[in-house]
Every structure is written in structure tokens, then in C-alpha cells.
Amino acid sequence: MTTARTDETAGLGLRPLYVQVREKLLRRLVDGVWAPGDILPSEMQLAAELGVSQGTVRKALDAMAAENLVVRKQGRGTFVARHDDERIMFQFFRLKPDAGERKFPDSTILSTGTFPASAEERRVLGLDPGARVIRIERLRSIGGLPAIVETVILPAGIFGALQGMELPNNLYGLFAVNFGVVIMRSTERLKAVAASAQEAKLLSLAPGAPVLQISRIAYSLENQPVEWRISTCTSEGFHYSVDLR
């Protein structure tokens, strides 16, 4: 005796159908069919187009909302998420003042240039031998106080046109609008280290003072590593905060 598969398990393989629908919708984001800020068709329209139930589409969109890829607005619809300051601060920026509200940092560019990628940069970003990278050095301040010395490393093959641009505070917004690269997720590693002489000077600390080093790898919608960011953070008046749910 055979059992008819439900809408939740129909389709290719044994993956739930809403997972397959999510992948199809994600592909449209990757291909630029919908840009950041665009409103998506209604659940009913998507269900009719994809040949699935409205409930399956809703579950797929709920999963994408949980990943911060789309934003659900009551009574207005579902929108492709923007990399605005509020979202970046909520999703990617974890350094907070010990007292007062969380604030998005200001940035001062210290240097930028294109260089042959080191072996470690090639490993982290999955680059071929001979690849080049763009390195951006900047100082980030919170409430007027120096808080982070940051090195941002980008594949020149993707972001080569960035050289010569005026770099905004919010780089992820620039990536999305100018290069079609939307950051989907990131991984971070934290380590306590001693500040170098240069870091200490920029952060108004004594050389060798304890600081927090955050190594972040950011991934595009295609799950490709597209940024390696090394942030050296003072703990004088600041702390790293994560909400665990």
C-alpha cells in the first residue's frame, strides 16, 4: 500500500517542500530578481506560481524572516531586507557601551589599498593562488570614544571597483547596492589579546593592554565568503553582547 505524500514532503527528494520553496525564493534574491527593499508578491501569488499551498509559502517566508533575509510588515506585505544601520546593528554589531543604549559606530578610514592575498587570506576567503584583496583599515568610535580598530579584507575580484569610491560607514549597504552582494550570515571568533603599539595609540590605551579581537567571516546569499573582518575592541567602557534564544 502506498501513502500519498503531503504538500510538506512532495517534490524532489525527502526535504520538506517549504525548504525547496525557500531555496527557489533565495535564488531570486541571488539573481537580483528582487532587490533590497522590494516588496515580494503575495503569498497567494507565489503559491499559485510555484504550485504549492499558501501555507507552504508562508512557512518558507517565515524561515527567511528568521534569517533576516526578508522583513514581514503587518498589513503591508513581505519585503527584501535592506542592510540599513538598524538591521546591521541588530544582526552584526555586538559591541555595546557599559552604560546607555546601543549606538551604531562612526568610522574613520585610515588606509585602503589592493594587495596580493596572503596564504591566510586565500584560505579564509577561498581564493585562488595569485588572487588580490582590498584591505581597508578604519577606526570606529562610539559616542565619540574610540572603540574599534578594524581591518576589512575583500576579494578584489568581486569588489575591485570599490577602490576610489567614497566608503560609507555602512559597508554592507554599499555591497548590496553597488555590487549586488547581500550578506546573509556571518561567523565570529573571539579572543582576548594584547593591544599592539599602534592599536593602543588609536584606542587611547597603554601598549599591551587587554583587548578583544573579533574575527568575522561574512557570507553572501550564495554562501560564499566575501569578507574577512578583524576587529580589535577596547573593553574600557564597552562589552560584547549576544542575545541567546
Side-chain angles (χ1 to χ4, degrees), residues 5-24 52 56-57 59-60 63:
R5 288 180 295 176
T6 66
D7 190 43
E8 285 301 308
T9 58
L12 298 174
L14 297 177
R15 292 174 302 156
L17 188 54
Y18 85 89
V19 174
Q20 300 175 51
V21 170
R22 174 200 168 276
E23 290 174 355
K24 289 180 180 179
V52 298
T56 297
V57 171
K59 196 169 183 179

mmCIF file of all heavy atoms in Angstrom, residues 5-24 52 56-57 59-60 63:
data_model
loop_
_atom_site.group_PDB
_atom_site.id
_atom_site.type_symbol
_atom_site.label_atom_id
_atom_site.label_comp_id
_atom_site.label_asym_id
_atom_site.label_seq_id
_atom_site.Cartn_x
_atom_site.Cartn_y
_atom_site.Cartn_z
ATOM 1 N N ARG A 5 1.989 11.479 -0.582
ATOM 2 C CA ARG A 5 2.786 12.476 0.142
ATOM 3 C C ARG A 5 2.011 13.774 0.266
ATOM 4 O O ARG A 5 1.309 14.184 -0.637
ATOM 5 C CB ARG A 5 4.112 12.730 -0.586
ATOM 6 C CG ARG A 5 5.082 11.567 -0.460
ATOM 7 C CD ARG A 5 6.368 11.865 -1.181
ATOM 8 N NE ARG A 5 6.158 11.982 -2.626
ATOM 9 C CZ ARG A 5 7.123 12.308 -3.473
ATOM 10 N NH1 ARG A 5 8.330 12.578 -3.026
ATOM 11 N NH2 ARG A 5 6.881 12.379 -4.763
ATOM 12 N N THR A 6 2.197 14.441 1.403
ATOM 13 C CA THR A 6 1.539 15.715 1.617
ATOM 14 C C THR A 6 2.317 16.819 0.938
ATOM 15 O O THR A 6 3.433 16.620 0.452
ATOM 16 C CB THR A 6 1.450 16.032 3.118
ATOM 17 O OG1 THR A 6 2.768 16.235 3.617
ATOM 18 C CG2 THR A 6 0.790 14.887 3.877
ATOM 19 N N ASP A 7 1.729 18.017 0.933
ATOM 20 C CA ASP A 7 2.382 19.185 0.337
ATOM 21 C C ASP A 7 3.709 19.475 1.021
ATOM 22 O O ASP A 7 4.626 20.021 0.432
ATOM 23 C CB ASP A 7 1.442 20.386 0.469
ATOM 24 C CG ASP A 7 1.918 21.571 -0.326
ATOM 25 O OD1 ASP A 7 2.350 21.384 -1.468
ATOM 26 O OD2 ASP A 7 1.824 22.688 0.203
ATOM 27 N N GLU A 8 3.820 19.073 2.318
ATOM 28 C CA GLU A 8 5.034 19.385 3.063
ATOM 29 C C GLU A 8 6.211 18.517 2.633
ATOM 30 O O GLU A 8 7.359 18.865 2.848
ATOM 31 C CB GLU A 8 4.784 19.190 4.571
ATOM 32 C CG GLU A 8 3.966 20.301 5.196
ATOM 33 C CD GLU A 8 4.637 21.654 5.034
ATOM 34 O OE1 GLU A 8 5.822 21.779 5.394
ATOM 35 O OE2 GLU A 8 3.987 22.580 4.545
ATOM 36 N N THR A 9 5.957 17.321 2.047
ATOM 37 C CA THR A 9 7.057 16.438 1.689
ATOM 38 C C THR A 9 7.132 16.133 0.204
ATOM 39 O O THR A 9 8.010 15.400 -0.238
ATOM 40 C CB THR A 9 6.937 15.104 2.452
ATOM 41 O OG1 THR A 9 5.670 14.520 2.143
ATOM 42 C CG2 THR A 9 7.038 15.322 3.948
ATOM 43 N N ALA A 10 6.209 16.700 -0.565
ATOM 44 C CA ALA A 10 6.225 16.440 -2.003
ATOM 45 C C ALA A 10 7.401 17.141 -2.655
ATOM 46 O O ALA A 10 8.006 18.027 -2.098
ATOM 47 C CB ALA A 10 4.918 16.914 -2.628
ATOM 48 N N GLY A 11 7.683 16.736 -3.891
ATOM 49 C CA GLY A 11 8.746 17.400 -4.631
ATOM 50 C C GLY A 11 9.989 16.533 -4.685
ATOM 51 O O GLY A 11 9.960 15.334 -4.442
ATOM 52 N N LEU A 12 11.122 17.151 -4.976
ATOM 53 C CA LEU A 12 12.354 16.404 -5.153
ATOM 54 C C LEU A 12 12.878 15.918 -3.811
ATOM 55 O O LEU A 12 12.909 16.654 -2.836
ATOM 56 C CB LEU A 12 13.412 17.306 -5.824
ATOM 57 C CG LEU A 12 13.055 17.800 -7.223
ATOM 58 C CD1 LEU A 12 14.110 18.784 -7.704
ATOM 59 C CD2 LEU A 12 12.943 16.637 -8.191
ATOM 60 N N GLY A 13 13.289 14.656 -3.755
ATOM 61 C CA GLY A 13 13.916 14.138 -2.558
ATOM 62 C C GLY A 13 12.963 14.088 -1.385
ATOM 63 O O GLY A 13 11.751 14.101 -1.522
ATOM 64 N N LEU A 14 13.548 14.006 -0.189
ATOM 65 C CA LEU A 14 12.763 13.901 1.032
ATOM 66 C C LEU A 14 12.763 15.195 1.830
ATOM 67 O O LEU A 14 12.274 15.212 2.951
ATOM 68 C CB LEU A 14 13.320 12.752 1.891
ATOM 69 C CG LEU A 14 13.222 11.362 1.256
ATOM 70 C CD1 LEU A 14 13.870 10.322 2.166
ATOM 71 C CD2 LEU A 14 11.778 10.991 0.971
ATOM 72 N N ARG A 15 13.345 16.256 1.286
ATOM 73 C CA ARG A 15 13.353 17.521 2.010
ATOM 74 C C ARG A 15 11.944 18.091 2.064
ATOM 75 O O ARG A 15 11.186 17.990 1.100
ATOM 76 C CB ARG A 15 14.278 18.529 1.333
ATOM 77 C CG ARG A 15 15.754 18.163 1.407
ATOM 78 C CD ARG A 15 16.573 19.142 0.595
ATOM 79 N NE ARG A 15 16.128 19.160 -0.788
ATOM 80 C CZ ARG A 15 16.304 20.195 -1.624
ATOM 81 N NH1 ARG A 15 16.875 21.286 -1.198
ATOM 82 N NH2 ARG A 15 15.888 20.122 -2.863
ATOM 83 N N PRO A 16 11.583 18.719 3.175
ATOM 84 C CA PRO A 16 10.265 19.361 3.236
ATOM 85 C C PRO A 16 10.102 20.337 2.083
ATOM 86 O O PRO A 16 11.054 21.007 1.667
ATOM 87 C CB PRO A 16 10.308 20.085 4.589
ATOM 88 C CG PRO A 16 11.301 19.338 5.395
ATOM 89 C CD PRO A 16 12.343 18.874 4.418
ATOM 90 N N LEU A 17 8.897 20.436 1.570
ATOM 91 C CA LEU A 17 8.663 21.276 0.404
ATOM 92 C C LEU A 17 8.927 22.747 0.699
ATOM 93 O O LEU A 17 9.400 23.481 -0.164
ATOM 94 C CB LEU A 17 7.231 21.091 -0.099
ATOM 95 C CG LEU A 17 6.894 21.763 -1.440
ATOM 96 C CD1 LEU A 17 7.877 21.343 -2.525
ATOM 97 C CD2 LEU A 17 5.473 21.442 -1.850
ATOM 98 N N TYR A 18 8.670 23.182 1.943
ATOM 99 C CA TYR A 18 8.904 24.597 2.242
ATOM 100 C C TYR A 18 10.392 24.941 2.130
ATOM 101 O O TYR A 18 10.757 26.074 1.796
ATOM 102 C CB TYR A 18 8.356 24.949 3.633
ATOM 103 C CG TYR A 18 9.286 24.661 4.788
ATOM 104 C CD1 TYR A 18 10.209 25.613 5.221
ATOM 105 C CD2 TYR A 18 9.251 23.442 5.458
ATOM 106 C CE1 TYR A 18 11.060 25.359 6.278
ATOM 107 C CE2 TYR A 18 10.095 23.178 6.516
ATOM 108 C CZ TYR A 18 11.002 24.132 6.918
ATOM 109 O OH TYR A 18 11.852 23.876 7.963
ATOM 110 N N VAL A 19 11.267 23.945 2.392
ATOM 111 C CA VAL A 19 12.713 24.163 2.241
ATOM 112 C C VAL A 19 13.047 24.370 0.766
ATOM 113 O O VAL A 19 13.843 25.250 0.401
ATOM 114 C CB VAL A 19 13.510 22.981 2.813
ATOM 115 C CG1 VAL A 19 15.000 23.144 2.528
ATOM 116 C CG2 VAL A 19 13.271 22.856 4.317
ATOM 117 N N GLN A 20 12.426 23.580 -0.099
ATOM 118 C CA GLN A 20 12.645 23.738 -1.539
ATOM 119 C C GLN A 20 12.104 25.077 -2.032
ATOM 120 O O GLN A 20 12.720 25.725 -2.880
ATOM 121 C CB GLN A 20 11.973 22.585 -2.281
ATOM 122 C CG GLN A 20 12.510 21.209 -1.897
ATOM 123 C CD GLN A 20 11.752 20.085 -2.565
ATOM 124 O OE1 GLN A 20 11.561 20.097 -3.781
ATOM 125 N NE2 GLN A 20 11.302 19.110 -1.785
ATOM 126 N N VAL A 21 10.954 25.501 -1.496
ATOM 127 C CA VAL A 21 10.392 26.804 -1.873
ATOM 128 C C VAL A 21 11.321 27.916 -1.403
ATOM 129 O O VAL A 21 11.582 28.879 -2.146
ATOM 130 C CB VAL A 21 8.982 26.973 -1.274
ATOM 131 C CG1 VAL A 21 8.497 28.408 -1.444
ATOM 132 C CG2 VAL A 21 8.009 26.006 -1.935
ATOM 133 N N ARG A 22 11.845 27.793 -0.177
ATOM 134 C CA ARG A 22 12.796 28.794 0.319
ATOM 135 C C ARG A 22 13.989 28.905 -0.627
ATOM 136 O O ARG A 22 14.454 30.005 -0.941
ATOM 137 C CB ARG A 22 13.268 28.420 1.720
ATOM 138 C CG ARG A 22 14.381 29.325 2.255
ATOM 139 C CD ARG A 22 15.138 28.656 3.385
ATOM 140 N NE ARG A 22 16.352 29.388 3.699
ATOM 141 C CZ ARG A 22 17.514 29.239 3.047
ATOM 142 N NH1 ARG A 22 17.619 28.395 2.021
ATOM 143 N NH2 ARG A 22 18.578 29.939 3.412
ATOM 144 N N GLU A 23 14.506 27.785 -1.090
ATOM 145 C CA GLU A 23 15.668 27.801 -1.991
ATOM 146 C C GLU A 23 15.334 28.478 -3.311
ATOM 147 O O GLU A 23 16.168 29.196 -3.880
ATOM 148 C CB GLU A 23 16.159 26.373 -2.213
ATOM 149 C CG GLU A 23 16.797 25.765 -0.972
ATOM 150 C CD GLU A 23 17.155 24.311 -1.148
ATOM 151 O OE1 GLU A 23 16.817 23.745 -2.217
ATOM 152 O OE2 GLU A 23 17.776 23.733 -0.235
ATOM 153 N N LYS A 24 14.126 28.259 -3.816
ATOM 154 C CA LYS A 24 13.718 28.911 -5.058
ATOM 155 C C LYS A 24 13.606 30.425 -4.867
ATOM 156 O O LYS A 24 14.011 31.206 -5.733
ATOM 157 C CB LYS A 24 12.391 28.341 -5.539
ATOM 158 C CG LYS A 24 12.479 26.909 -6.063
ATOM 159 C CD LYS A 24 11.131 26.394 -6.528
ATOM 160 C CE LYS A 24 11.237 24.964 -7.057
ATOM 161 N NZ LYS A 24 9.924 24.437 -7.506
ATOM 162 N N VAL A 52 2.235 25.273 -5.033
ATOM 163 C CA VAL A 52 2.210 24.736 -3.670
ATOM 164 C C VAL A 52 1.107 25.441 -2.894
ATOM 165 O O VAL A 52 0.462 26.369 -3.387
ATOM 166 C CB VAL A 52 3.569 24.936 -2.963
ATOM 167 C CG1 VAL A 52 4.677 24.191 -3.689
ATOM 168 C CG2 VAL A 52 3.917 26.427 -2.855
ATOM 169 N N THR A 56 2.596 26.539 2.719
ATOM 170 C CA THR A 56 3.991 26.188 2.443
ATOM 171 C C THR A 56 4.802 27.441 2.135
ATOM 172 O O THR A 56 5.928 27.603 2.616
ATOM 173 C CB THR A 56 4.073 25.205 1.260
ATOM 174 O OG1 THR A 56 3.394 23.998 1.624
ATOM 175 C CG2 THR A 56 5.510 24.877 0.910
ATOM 176 N N VAL A 57 4.236 28.346 1.352
ATOM 177 C CA VAL A 57 4.917 29.607 1.063
ATOM 178 C C VAL A 57 5.119 30.402 2.346
ATOM 179 O O VAL A 57 6.194 30.964 2.585
ATOM 180 C CB VAL A 57 4.119 30.436 0.038
ATOM 181 C CG1 VAL A 57 4.703 31.839 -0.090
ATOM 182 C CG2 VAL A 57 4.124 29.742 -1.319
ATOM 183 N N LYS A 59 5.440 29.297 5.357
ATOM 184 C CA LYS A 59 6.495 28.677 6.160
ATOM 185 C C LYS A 59 7.876 28.994 5.594
ATOM 186 O O LYS A 59 8.829 29.242 6.343
ATOM 187 C CB LYS A 59 6.277 27.167 6.215
ATOM 188 C CG LYS A 59 7.059 26.456 7.309
ATOM 189 C CD LYS A 59 6.589 25.024 7.471
ATOM 190 C CE LYS A 59 7.324 24.334 8.608
ATOM 191 N NZ LYS A 59 6.873 22.937 8.794
ATOM 192 N N ALA A 60 7.987 29.009 4.266
ATOM 193 C CA ALA A 60 9.263 29.358 3.637
ATOM 194 C C ALA A 60 9.646 30.804 3.935
ATOM 195 O O ALA A 60 10.802 31.102 4.251
ATOM 196 C CB ALA A 60 9.179 29.139 2.130
ATOM 197 N N ALA A 63 10.804 31.233 7.494
ATOM 198 C CA ALA A 63 12.195 30.796 7.646
ATOM 199 C C ALA A 63 13.154 31.882 7.157
ATOM 200 O O ALA A 63 14.186 32.152 7.790
ATOM 201 C CB ALA A 63 12.424 29.495 6.879
#
